[in-house]
Amino acid sequence: MKQILNFIQGEYAATDRLFDKHSPLTGEVVAQVHEAGRAEVDAAVAAARAALAGPWGRMSVAERVERLYAVADGIHRRFEEFLAAECQDTGKPRSLASHIDIPRGAANFKVFADVVKNVPTEFFETATPDGRGAINYGWRTPVGVVGVVCPWNLPLLLMTWKVGPALACGNTVVVKPSEETPQTAALLGEVMNEAGIPPGVYNVVHGFGPDSAGEFLTTHPGVDAITFTGETRTGEVIMKAAAQGARPVSLEMGGKNAAIVFDDCDFDAAIEGTMRSVFANCGQVCLGTERVYVQRPLFERFVAALKQQAEALKLGVPDDAATGMGPLISKEHQDKVLSYYRLAAEEGATVVTGGGVPDMGAQLAGGAWVQPTIWTGLPETARVIKEEIFGPCCHIAPFDTEEEVLAKANDNAYGLACAIWTRDLARAHRVAQRMQVGLSWVNSWFLRDLRTPFGGAKQSGIGREGGVHSLEFYTEQKNVCIKL
Ligand code: NAD
Ligand code: 6OD
């Protein structure tokens, strides 16, 4: 059986507490993961702290940048291994992981290396009473040991989205991957060694949240800052943990994102984009759409077209090039999504398509499969409209006016992202600016430029990462004032 080990001080570390990793495709055990206890978390944090004082802490920005480029190259060189590991852990189509997850894993190192290489510093010339003046400049130092707690939906992408900028800024990290997706974080340890990243700079501890590696890491006094991606409820717990020692947190959390389709849109583009935003990664994307609002003249046509395309989606295994959608991450998550499928019916939804479990044949019967699902007819107060489901499903509702749709789309506790489909440029700006979200896409979805501020409003997050915004979190900026 494949063994997934912790990675501490540049070496793989076994423990005597093993848990099973199940395939989302079949339910069978595909690996055993070595759970880190307090001792391993202590060792990882100690290694990360020691590395701050070692060669890593003394490296110039240029030297760090070269090594981060080498990490990016290493991911590309071992692309097939990362791809196989990610697909085995998540069950997602190879076509998706090879276009998004793995290339972004490499890009997250390259882009943030470029950011730190090119970022200017603040400089002020200051008048003094004696007329000689002073100069002031900003100087960035690493925050120290960063605890990185990750979800399972885009494992390598979201982990490196934190580790890339953290290392670029000179920090060291202890990563806690999701218990569902331990493999790519562990594999990255080898790449770090090959790229000449000193031991202790990148550490990985496996396990769960409460009373396990997640809690041990986030409550550890040796951790200077915590960056987290996951559910809002977990983020609240982590924020409390970070309060001990007044440590900074960056929280990227849940969403219940709206798509707004105006009747002047490019219809085919809106359907294509909405198909991706609802069903990509089996709906397990924090930025994904679960609420679609369509202007009334287009409503019936839109529902019919989305239904037709959802029914044409081929569910299948990662290696089949025809696969458009894989399974959910786990049986536990399948239970959650199916409970919302039942709730939608109880709340009075019309099921346009789906709503249950597909027949995948005997070989895949143990997997976490659900049907792509579309509903109409729910009141805005329904829980299915309000709560994050994180599955391949959406509710479509008609609207008449811009004011009406803004009020509906904004009436939610989350505020992560939205997608607006219109050819009216003035309206696009108006609506994008009035949406209470961190990211408004117009005529697109998941079109990413890593230099832009990324994060959520309301209960979707605290803080912004991306480009120079990541430096705000991963560095301590001091003012140096020199009297001339
Ligand atoms: P989760 O909150 O259940 O788990 C995330 C991580 O936190 C896991 O590693 C888990 O082990 C750990 N954890 C759980 N409880 C903990 C605790 N008490 N202390 C410390 N660590 C703990 O989230 P998930 O189910 O893995 O991911 C899905 C969620 O993530 C969805 O809500 C989704 O919207 C959100 N998400 C948000 C973004 C974003 O950028 N805003 C991106 C991806 C996913
Ligand atoms: O693209 C990114 O940088 C990012 N953080 C995406 C988040 C996706 C959520 O599932």
PDB file of all heavy atoms in Angstrom, residues 104 153-154 157-158 161 252 285-287 446 448 454, ligand 2:
ATOM      1  N   ARG A 104      -0.803  25.753 -12.544  1.00  0.00           N
ATOM      2  CA  ARG A 104      -0.886  26.826 -11.551  1.00  0.00           C
ATOM      3  C   ARG A 104       0.028  26.551 -10.354  1.00  0.00           C
ATOM      4  O   ARG A 104       0.559  27.484  -9.733  1.00  0.00           O
ATOM      5  CB  ARG A 104      -2.329  27.001 -11.064  1.00  0.00           C
ATOM      6  CG  ARG A 104      -3.121  28.106 -11.748  1.00  0.00           C
ATOM      7  CD  ARG A 104      -2.583  29.501 -11.488  1.00  0.00           C
ATOM      8  NE  ARG A 104      -2.558  29.870 -10.105  1.00  0.00           N
ATOM      9  CZ  ARG A 104      -3.580  30.343  -9.416  1.00  0.00           C
ATOM     10  NH1 ARG A 104      -4.748  30.506 -10.018  1.00  0.00           N
ATOM     11  NH2 ARG A 104      -3.464  30.668  -8.151  1.00  0.00           N
ATOM     12  N   ASN A 153     -10.094  20.879  -2.500  1.00  0.00           N
ATOM     13  CA  ASN A 153     -10.723  20.983  -3.829  1.00  0.00           C
ATOM     14  C   ASN A 153      -9.736  21.240  -4.960  1.00  0.00           C
ATOM     15  O   ASN A 153      -9.879  20.688  -6.051  1.00  0.00           O
ATOM     16  CB  ASN A 153     -11.856  22.010  -3.821  1.00  0.00           C
ATOM     17  CG  ASN A 153     -11.414  23.399  -3.462  1.00  0.00           C
ATOM     18  OD1 ASN A 153     -10.527  23.582  -2.628  1.00  0.00           O
ATOM     19  ND2 ASN A 153     -12.003  24.384  -4.086  1.00  0.00           N
ATOM     20  N   LEU A 154      -8.719  22.102  -4.701  1.00  0.00           N
ATOM     21  CA  LEU A 154      -7.662  22.342  -5.691  1.00  0.00           C
ATOM     22  C   LEU A 154      -6.349  22.233  -4.912  1.00  0.00           C
ATOM     23  O   LEU A 154      -5.701  23.242  -4.619  1.00  0.00           O
ATOM     24  CB  LEU A 154      -7.809  23.739  -6.316  1.00  0.00           C
ATOM     25  CG  LEU A 154      -9.163  24.100  -6.946  1.00  0.00           C
ATOM     26  CD1 LEU A 154      -9.260  25.581  -7.262  1.00  0.00           C
ATOM     27  CD2 LEU A 154      -9.388  23.293  -8.223  1.00  0.00           C
ATOM     28  N   LEU A 157      -2.826  23.648  -6.272  1.00  0.00           N
ATOM     29  CA  LEU A 157      -3.020  25.053  -6.657  1.00  0.00           C
ATOM     30  C   LEU A 157      -3.163  25.941  -5.421  1.00  0.00           C
ATOM     31  O   LEU A 157      -2.487  26.965  -5.282  1.00  0.00           O
ATOM     32  CB  LEU A 157      -4.258  25.161  -7.559  1.00  0.00           C
ATOM     33  CG  LEU A 157      -4.586  26.506  -8.217  1.00  0.00           C
ATOM     34  CD1 LEU A 157      -5.511  26.309  -9.404  1.00  0.00           C
ATOM     35  CD2 LEU A 157      -5.167  27.539  -7.287  1.00  0.00           C
ATOM     36  N   LEU A 158      -4.023  25.522  -4.498  1.00  0.00           N
ATOM     37  CA  LEU A 158      -4.311  26.400  -3.360  1.00  0.00           C
ATOM     38  C   LEU A 158      -3.203  26.370  -2.311  1.00  0.00           C
ATOM     39  O   LEU A 158      -2.983  27.361  -1.618  1.00  0.00           O
ATOM     40  CB  LEU A 158      -5.665  26.028  -2.744  1.00  0.00           C
ATOM     41  CG  LEU A 158      -6.850  26.398  -3.638  1.00  0.00           C
ATOM     42  CD1 LEU A 158      -8.145  25.813  -3.102  1.00  0.00           C
ATOM     43  CD2 LEU A 158      -6.983  27.906  -3.789  1.00  0.00           C
ATOM     44  N   TRP A 161      -0.405  28.515  -3.799  1.00  0.00           N
ATOM     45  CA  TRP A 161      -0.878  29.907  -3.816  1.00  0.00           C
ATOM     46  C   TRP A 161      -0.486  30.620  -2.513  1.00  0.00           C
ATOM     47  O   TRP A 161      -0.323  31.833  -2.469  1.00  0.00           O
ATOM     48  CB  TRP A 161      -2.393  29.883  -4.027  1.00  0.00           C
ATOM     49  CG  TRP A 161      -3.162  31.142  -3.784  1.00  0.00           C
ATOM     50  CD1 TRP A 161      -4.088  31.356  -2.814  1.00  0.00           C
ATOM     51  CD2 TRP A 161      -3.117  32.346  -4.561  1.00  0.00           C
ATOM     52  NE1 TRP A 161      -4.606  32.619  -2.923  1.00  0.00           N
ATOM     53  CE2 TRP A 161      -4.041  33.256  -3.991  1.00  0.00           C
ATOM     54  CE3 TRP A 161      -2.390  32.739  -5.683  1.00  0.00           C
ATOM     55  CZ2 TRP A 161      -4.249  34.538  -4.500  1.00  0.00           C
ATOM     56  CZ3 TRP A 161      -2.599  34.015  -6.183  1.00  0.00           C
ATOM     57  CH2 TRP A 161      -3.515  34.891  -5.590  1.00  0.00           C
ATOM     58  N   GLU A 252      -9.325  32.604   3.491  1.00  0.00           N
ATOM     59  CA  GLU A 252     -10.063  32.488   2.223  1.00  0.00           C
ATOM     60  C   GLU A 252     -11.109  31.400   2.442  1.00  0.00           C
ATOM     61  O   GLU A 252     -10.765  30.230   2.619  1.00  0.00           O
ATOM     62  CB  GLU A 252      -9.106  32.158   1.077  1.00  0.00           C
ATOM     63  CG  GLU A 252      -8.145  33.322   0.830  1.00  0.00           C
ATOM     64  CD  GLU A 252      -7.176  33.129  -0.339  1.00  0.00           C
ATOM     65  OE1 GLU A 252      -7.109  32.031  -0.905  1.00  0.00           O
ATOM     66  OE2 GLU A 252      -6.475  34.102  -0.656  1.00  0.00           O
ATOM     67  N   VAL A 285     -15.596  24.338  -6.361  1.00  0.00           N
ATOM     68  CA  VAL A 285     -14.724  25.504  -6.534  1.00  0.00           C
ATOM     69  C   VAL A 285     -15.362  26.620  -5.717  1.00  0.00           C
ATOM     70  O   VAL A 285     -16.550  26.910  -5.885  1.00  0.00           O
ATOM     71  CB  VAL A 285     -14.606  25.922  -8.016  1.00  0.00           C
ATOM     72  CG1 VAL A 285     -13.651  27.101  -8.166  1.00  0.00           C
ATOM     73  CG2 VAL A 285     -14.142  24.760  -8.879  1.00  0.00           C
ATOM     74  N   CYS A 286     -14.562  27.228  -4.846  1.00  0.00           N
ATOM     75  CA  CYS A 286     -15.142  28.257  -3.968  1.00  0.00           C
ATOM     76  C   CYS A 286     -15.730  29.399  -4.778  1.00  0.00           C
ATOM     77  O   CYS A 286     -16.662  30.057  -4.341  1.00  0.00           O
ATOM     78  CB  CYS A 286     -14.080  28.787  -3.016  1.00  0.00           C
ATOM     79  SG  CYS A 286     -12.707  29.552  -3.893  1.00  0.00           S
ATOM     80  N   LEU A 287     -15.189  29.630  -5.993  1.00  0.00           N
ATOM     81  CA  LEU A 287     -15.633  30.738  -6.833  1.00  0.00           C
ATOM     82  C   LEU A 287     -16.797  30.327  -7.722  1.00  0.00           C
ATOM     83  O   LEU A 287     -17.306  31.131  -8.512  1.00  0.00           O
ATOM     84  CB  LEU A 287     -14.472  31.193  -7.728  1.00  0.00           C
ATOM     85  CG  LEU A 287     -13.173  31.521  -6.986  1.00  0.00           C
ATOM     86  CD1 LEU A 287     -11.971  31.432  -7.917  1.00  0.00           C
ATOM     87  CD2 LEU A 287     -13.263  32.906  -6.385  1.00  0.00           C
ATOM     88  N   PHE A 446     -13.335  32.565 -13.694  1.00  0.00           N
ATOM     89  CA  PHE A 446     -12.048  31.963 -13.349  1.00  0.00           C
ATOM     90  C   PHE A 446     -10.961  32.352 -14.355  1.00  0.00           C
ATOM     91  O   PHE A 446     -10.124  31.545 -14.736  1.00  0.00           O
ATOM     92  CB  PHE A 446     -12.139  30.439 -13.235  1.00  0.00           C
ATOM     93  CG  PHE A 446     -11.183  29.854 -12.195  1.00  0.00           C
ATOM     94  CD1 PHE A 446     -11.401  28.598 -11.657  1.00  0.00           C
ATOM     95  CD2 PHE A 446     -10.058  30.551 -11.762  1.00  0.00           C
ATOM     96  CE1 PHE A 446     -10.545  28.045 -10.708  1.00  0.00           C
ATOM     97  CE2 PHE A 446      -9.195  30.019 -10.820  1.00  0.00           C
ATOM     98  CZ  PHE A 446      -9.432  28.763 -10.295  1.00  0.00           C
ATOM     99  N   ARG A 448      -7.843  34.284 -14.368  1.00  0.00           N
ATOM    100  CA  ARG A 448      -7.033  34.758 -13.253  1.00  0.00           C
ATOM    101  C   ARG A 448      -5.767  35.458 -13.724  1.00  0.00           C
ATOM    102  O   ARG A 448      -5.076  34.988 -14.622  1.00  0.00           O
ATOM    103  CB  ARG A 448      -6.659  33.569 -12.352  1.00  0.00           C
ATOM    104  CG  ARG A 448      -7.840  32.953 -11.648  1.00  0.00           C
ATOM    105  CD  ARG A 448      -8.271  33.735 -10.418  1.00  0.00           C
ATOM    106  NE  ARG A 448      -7.323  33.636  -9.334  1.00  0.00           N
ATOM    107  CZ  ARG A 448      -6.655  34.664  -8.830  1.00  0.00           C
ATOM    108  NH1 ARG A 448      -6.812  35.885  -9.304  1.00  0.00           N
ATOM    109  NH2 ARG A 448      -5.792  34.475  -7.835  1.00  0.00           N
ATOM    110  N   PHE A 454      -6.884  39.181  -4.446  1.00  0.00           N
ATOM    111  CA  PHE A 454      -7.819  38.057  -4.413  1.00  0.00           C
ATOM    112  C   PHE A 454      -8.262  37.829  -2.974  1.00  0.00           C
ATOM    113  O   PHE A 454      -7.439  37.753  -2.064  1.00  0.00           O
ATOM    114  CB  PHE A 454      -7.145  36.788  -4.942  1.00  0.00           C
ATOM    115  CG  PHE A 454      -8.050  35.583  -4.934  1.00  0.00           C
ATOM    116  CD1 PHE A 454      -8.804  35.246  -6.051  1.00  0.00           C
ATOM    117  CD2 PHE A 454      -8.182  34.796  -3.794  1.00  0.00           C
ATOM    118  CE1 PHE A 454      -9.654  34.148  -6.038  1.00  0.00           C
ATOM    119  CE2 PHE A 454      -9.027  33.698  -3.769  1.00  0.00           C
ATOM    120  CZ  PHE A 454      -9.756  33.378  -4.898  1.00  0.00           C
TER     121      PHE A 454
HETATM  122  O1  6OD B   2      -6.983  31.140  -8.385  1.00  0.00           O
HETATM  123  C1  6OD B   2      -6.654  31.313  -7.205  1.00  0.00           C
HETATM  124  O2  6OD B   2      -5.609  31.901  -6.890  1.00  0.00           O
HETATM  125  C2  6OD B   2      -7.528  30.839  -6.134  1.00  0.00           C
HETATM  126  N1  6OD B   2      -7.153  31.134  -4.878  1.00  0.00           N
HETATM  127  C3  6OD B   2      -8.634  30.121  -6.450  1.00  0.00           C
HETATM  128  C4  6OD B   2      -9.539  29.622  -5.503  1.00  0.00           C
HETATM  129  C5  6OD B   2     -10.442  28.690  -5.877  1.00  0.00           C
HETATM  130  C6  6OD B   2     -11.360  28.121  -4.946  1.00  0.00           C
HETATM  131  O3  6OD B   2     -11.769  27.002  -4.997  1.00  0.00           O
END
